[in-house]
Amino acid sequence: MKTKILTILLLLLIILISNANSQESKRRYYSVEIEGVLCGYFTSDIEATTYNSNAAIESRDTVNLLLRALEQDVNMQIINKHIIDKETNMIGFNSTRMYNDGGESLNITNEIHDGYVIFRDLAAESVDTIAYSDEVIFDNPLSSYYLINDFHKKDIKEKTYRKYDYTRGRISDHIYTLLRNETLTLAGREFSTLVFEDHSPDDGLRTTYWINIDDGIEVKMEVMNRKISLAAVSYT
């Protein structure tokens, strides 16, 4: 049961840190701490690609976890990929794959079209079509543009967004509350951040995370005593 809860939380972490990249660097490293134990690392990479014959950017996030440090039965790796149209900055494709010592345990893809998403759970051999309206937000790994625009430029204190969940193929409400402004020093660099609480009524989870005002990337997050924070940046 504890392993199942950890798996669900880690998938939520992937969604919430999908904004961890920016176009100014090739790779960012994040430390992963669960229940006070440093038990893994997270890398976020970007590279140029093509998608449907158009110029695009591929963002690839990889979480490596040593769950045996928490007395769990297996170690785990999660790979999350987004493909973003370079001209429109819109998400065209997303995939999430999870591996443990026994092999692949999750393989999900999302093809985002105008007004609908084709959601495939390859392990379960299921395909669903999810309709969405213009108000629905698809988290973009290049920037949390909507949060910076609403909470920093418009000075909003609380707002509810309709967001698409890539790993579960559903749309749900997320209530964002601005807690404070805070300056952090991570990876030898100072960040001026907005600190938010994200409340998901469907799950009952409350997540706190820090978003850099300059470029909209997430540099730190906490959910149920699970922490991820920026550890290093590589420009090579």
Side-chain angles (χ1 to χ4, degrees):
M1 181 66 177
K2 188 175 181 181
T3 301
K4 182 177 180 181
I5 293 173
L6 275 174
T7 299
I8 293 171
L9 286 169
L10 290 168
L11 290 174
L12 290 172
L13 292 180
I14 280 289
I15 298 168
L16 293 166
I17 58 181
S18 63
N19 298 323
N21 228 319
S22 91
Q23 297 183 61
E24 71 175 22
S25 65
K26 294 295 184 183
R27 167 169 284 193
R28 292 176 183 267
Y29 296 86
Y30 293 76
S31 61
V32 179
E33 180 181 313
I34 298 177
E35 299 176 353
V37 178
L38 185 63
C39 60
Y41 66 94
F42 169 91
T43 61
S44 193
D45 301 89
I46 60 171
E47 61 182 22
T49 187
T50 59
Y51 184 69
N52 291 335
S53 301
N54 296 323
I57 297 170
E58 177 180 314
S59 172
R60 185 170 55 259
D61 308 321
T62 305
V63 178
N64 293 283
L65 296 162
L66 302 176
L67 295 183
R68 286 197 173 91
L70 302 174
E71 299 181 352
Q72 299 300 303
D73 293 334
V74 296
N75 293 322
M76 186 180 296
Q77 181 183 72
I78 305 173
I79 300 173
N80 190 41
K81 182 171 72 173
H82 293 78
I83 296 181
I84 306 103
D85 186 279
K86 196 170 184 178
E87 183 176 346
T88 66
N89 207 36
M90 301 296 291
I91 305 292
F93 178 83
N94 164 269
S95 67
T96 301
R97 306 181 78 169
M98 184 162 62
Y99 303 87
N100 55 39
D101 293 343
E104 186 175 77
S105 58
L106 182 74
N107 189 346
I108 288 172
T109 66
N110 294 271
E111 296 177 15
I112 296 93
H113 301 271
D114 186 14
Y116 68 97
V117 180
I118 299 175
F119 174 84
R120 291 186 173 90
D121 185 337
L122 301 180
E125 298 183 347
S126 64
V127 180
D128 293 312
T129 300
I130 298 99
Y132 69 89
S133 61
D134 291 341
E135 69 174 347
V136 173
I137 289 177
F138 293 82
D139 274 328
N140 189 320
L142 300 184
S143 178
S144 299
Y145 64 92
Y146 59 96
L147 295 176
I148 298 299
N149 184 59
D150 287 343
F151 288 89
H152 181 61
K153 296 181 179 179
K154 296 181 181 179
D155 200 29
I156 292 174
K157 301 303 180 184
E158 183 174 291
K159 185 172 180 177
T160 299
Y161 296 97
R162 298 281 288 164
K163 298 182 69 176
Y164 182 75
D165 184 333
Y166 294 108
T167 61
R168 290 180 282 188
R170 71 182 190 187
I171 298 167
S172 58
D173 288 340
H174 286 255
I175 303 169
Y176 285 76
T177 303
L178 180 63
L179 302 179
R180 61 187 180 275
N181 288 50
E182 185 174 331
T183 299
L184 294 177
T185 300
L186 297 167
R189 175 182 168 187
E190 190 173 275
F191 295 91
S192 295
T193 69
L194 299 178
V195 185
F196 294 94
E197 179 187 76
D198 171 11
H199 176 215
S200 172
D202 285 356
D203 298 315
L205 288 177
R206 295 180 183 271
T207 303
T208 303
Y209 55 99
W210 289 250
I211 291 188
N212 186 37
I213 294 173
D214 288 343
D215 53 17
I217 69 164
E218 293 176 17
V219 295
K220 181 180 177 181
M221 65 158 301
E222 298 182 4
V223 55
M224 293 182 66
N225 205 29
R226 280 74 173 168
K227 301 178 183 180
I228 291 182
S229 57
L230 184 65
V233 180
S234 173
Y235 294 90
T236 58

